[in-house]
Amino acid sequence: MPTQRLHLVFGGELVDPQKNVFRNVDDIHLVGMFPDYATAYNAWKSEAQRTVDNAHMRYFIAHIHRLRDEESAGSPTEELG
């Protein structure tokens, strides 16, 4: 089975357009989880273009697949879930 390369697209209004600090974490827009970078990029681009008139709005692509190395053993807390 091929390795999945999951990507999360999310965004929201920033306190300052020069920094990556959200004004209100409760208002973060979770666009979705995507199976590859290409589809995540298309979703990101769509949201970024939709909010282009607001300089404080930013959308990001998080490379979820980079957060965990599937070859290494999991932590004890991962086994509890």
Side-chain angles (χ1 to χ4, degrees):
M1 177 180 267
T3 302
Q4 285 185 317
R5 302 239 183 249
L6 297 175
H7 296 78
L8 173 65
V9 178
F10 65 99
E13 191 168 6
L14 303 178
V15 173
D16 178 340
Q18 302 299 317
K19 299 181 176 152
N20 292 335
V21 177
F22 290 102
R23 184 174 305 278
N24 185 347
V25 175
D26 292 335
D27 290 338
I28 290 176
H29 176 207
L30 297 176
V31 178
M33 186 73 70
F34 300 89
D36 54 54
Y37 182 79
T39 55
Y41 178 81
N42 288 337
W44 168 85
K45 185 176 178 181
S46 175
E47 294 300 326
Q49 288 176 339
R50 185 180 65 77
T51 60
V52 71
D53 291 334
N54 182 346
H56 285 81
M57 287 295 288
R58 288 286 188 282
Y59 280 85
F60 302 90
I61 300 174
H63 300 266
I64 300 302
H65 62 93
R66 292 181 184 167
L67 297 179
R68 182 156 190 263
D69 179 0
E70 295 295 333
E71 298 300 319
S72 64
S75 73
T77 55
E78 286 180 322
E79 302 304 323
L80 296 176

